[in-house]
Amino acid sequence: MQAAPLRATPARPVPSVTGALRAVEAVLMRGGQRTARRNAWTSVLEDRRRAKDRHEAAYVLEAAATRRPHAT
């Protein structure tokens, strides 16, 4: 026998994957561990942003250094 498909209704919404993972995280980890994990992830994202900014700055500097001067 096959199970009936799960349908989202106003009375019973289908939980998202993110919501389910957060629920499991809440059960398995204490509040301090959750905070530390989120802070670590925020730090990773900030490091990635800084690396992207450095790459873009290096590209602009390299482009400016190799550009031919204007003939006046």
Side-chain angles (χ1 to χ4, degrees), residues 2-70:
Q2 203 172 29
L6 192 62
R7 287 184 234 167
T9 63
R12 194 179 86 186
V14 176
S16 67
V17 173
T18 302
L21 290 175
R22 285 193 191 270
V24 170
E25 179 187 46
V27 170
L28 297 177
M29 295 185 163
R30 294 182 178 177
Q33 291 173 324
R34 263 195 315 248
T35 301
R37 187 172 179 190
R38 287 190 185 131
N39 288 344
W41 182 245
T42 300
S43 179
V44 167
L45 295 177
E46 184 65 20
D47 288 346
R48 289 178 181 175
R49 187 193 61 77
R50 276 195 231 105
K52 180 182 173 192
D53 290 346
R54 279 194 308 273
H55 177 75
E56 289 172 356
Y59 177 79
V60 169
L61 290 172
E62 181 67 26
T66 58
R67 199 175 76 186
R68 289 191 288 161
H70 290 300

